Amino acid sequence: MAVPLLEAQLSLRISAHDLGRVTQAAHTTGATVAQFVREAVSDKCRQVEQDRPEPAAAELPAGGRPLTRSERLMLAAVTRHAAISSIAAASRAAGLSWWAAKAALESLARRGAVRQRTSTQGWRHGIRERSTWEPVMSLPGWRQLQAQAQHVRLPAPAAPGEFSGPVPPQFWPLMWNHPDPSSLSIPADAEYVAHRLLNGPSALAALWASARLPVDALRSCLGLRSTRPHTRDLINNALVHRTAAPS
């Protein structure tokens, strides 16, 4: 009996006096020392587990489950793109089908990870309301959700092609010296439209023209004395980008 008791003392790392008390208690219950110690340790472990505090909400992923692949793509798209205003735009940004993008946005909205923010902006001769999707970074557990979407690879945005058709209505006020701007179209009137947009007061119109109007119309603006130096830089940069041979 001495050898098992010595082994118990060494494994439990207690004094001989304490081991004697454990042995006496075990004999009182009719159990062996090993059984008594095993039950005592089990009871202590159960008590510690019951007394363990619940993890704070901020340490848990919002909603309590990992994001699906579609949700990870959508969260990455909403976080990295500042102007997603429709399901179609979200679908393009995330590389998902329209229905998958809609389901992912709705799921993330229910979990409180994204929301729609409505703002007003100038439009033609008045104002309009515009809603865009944005991430909710104040959400408890946001860091855990963001970590799941942090390394997601989104599709590269497609380069816009040359525009064709009637001039967009938002640019009509810049054609103030034309009797009927609504009758203008691209590419038939591209040169005139390029002159008005690139040399006008609107930076947005100039950027749109540099990216969407035919390159011949852009080159014609370089021959005008009225084309300002910064506009020439914009045109030259656009021409280099748009006429570069694909690698």
Side-chain angles (χ1 to χ4, degrees), residues 38-87:
R38 187 182 302 113
E39 289 298 324
V41 171
S42 297
D43 288 342
K44 185 63 176 177
C45 290
R46 283 193 292 269
Q47 180 181 353
V48 170
E49 191 65 28
Q50 291 172 357
D51 294 341
R52 187 189 303 275
E54 291 294 327
E59 298 175 355
L60 294 173
R65 65 168 176 80
L67 297 176
T68 64
R69 175 182 176 275
S70 294
E71 289 170 343
R72 291 196 303 271
L73 286 166
M74 187 53 62
L75 185 61
V78 172
T79 303
R80 300 175 199 175
H81 296 275
I84 293 181
S85 58
S86 65
I87 301 296

Side-chain angles (χ1 to χ4, degrees), residues 33-183:
V33 174
Q35 291 172 337
F36 181 82
V37 171
R38 187 182 302 113
E39 289 298 324
V41 171
S42 297
D43 288 342
K44 185 63 176 177
C45 290
R46 283 193 292 269
Q47 180 181 353
V48 170
E49 191 65 28
Q50 291 172 357
D51 294 341
R52 187 189 303 275
E54 291 294 327
E59 298 175 355
L60 294 173
R65 65 168 176 80
L67 297 176
T68 64
R69 175 182 176 275
S70 294
E71 289 170 343
R72 291 196 303 271
L73 286 166
M74 187 53 62
L75 185 61
V78 172
T79 303
R80 300 175 199 175
H81 296 275
I84 293 181
S85 58
S86 65
I87 301 296
S91 171
R92 291 191 297 270
L96 296 170
S97 68
W98 192 93
W99 290 106
K102 181 176 184 294
L105 271 176
E106 291 176 349
S107 176
L108 290 172
R110 286 194 298 269
R111 297 177 70 165
V114 301
R115 65 187 173 193
Q116 275 188 301
R117 179 181 293 276
T118 301
S119 59
T120 58
Q121 60 180 201
W123 176 249
R124 300 184 188 177
H125 299 294
I127 60 172
R128 67 172 180 177
E129 289 190 346
R130 187 168 186 260
S131 295
T132 56
W133 290 93
E134 64 177 21
V136 183
M137 298 182 182
S138 60
L139 176 73
W142 166 256
R143 291 185 178 180
Q144 284 69 29
L145 285 180
Q146 185 185 33
Q148 297 182 58
Q150 183 175 1
H151 300 293
V152 168
R153 181 176 297 179
L154 297 175
E162 285 193 1
F163 178 84
S164 63
V167 174
Q170 62 264 38
F171 300 138
W172 290 354
L174 299 175
M175 317 293 171
W176 55 267
N177 61 346
H178 192 279
D180 185 11
S182 64
S183 66

Side-chain angles (χ1 to χ4, degrees), residues 174-235:
L174 299 175
M175 317 293 171
W176 55 267
N177 61 346
H178 192 279
D180 185 11
S182 64
S183 66
L184 297 170
S185 65
I186 310 298
D189 302 298
E191 187 170 319
Y192 167 77
V193 173
H195 295 173
R196 300 307 308 167
L197 298 188
L198 287 164
N199 291 306
S202 171
L204 177 62
L207 286 172
W208 182 88
S210 69
R212 304 301 302 276
L213 293 181
V215 294
D216 290 340
L218 301 184
R219 291 191 180 101
S220 71
C221 288
L222 295 176
L224 297 177
R225 290 186 177 182
S226 58
T227 300
R228 292 159 293 188
H230 69 271
T231 303
R232 292 180 184 277
D233 292 339
L234 173 65
I235 294 172

Side-chain angles (χ1 to χ4, degrees), residues 5 8-9 12 14-28 33 36:
L5 288 176
Q9 182 181 356
L12 292 173
I14 61 177
S15 67
H17 174 71
D18 290 336
L19 180 58
R21 295 176 58 189
V22 171
T23 303
Q24 184 178 359
H27 290 167
T28 301
V33 174
F36 181 82

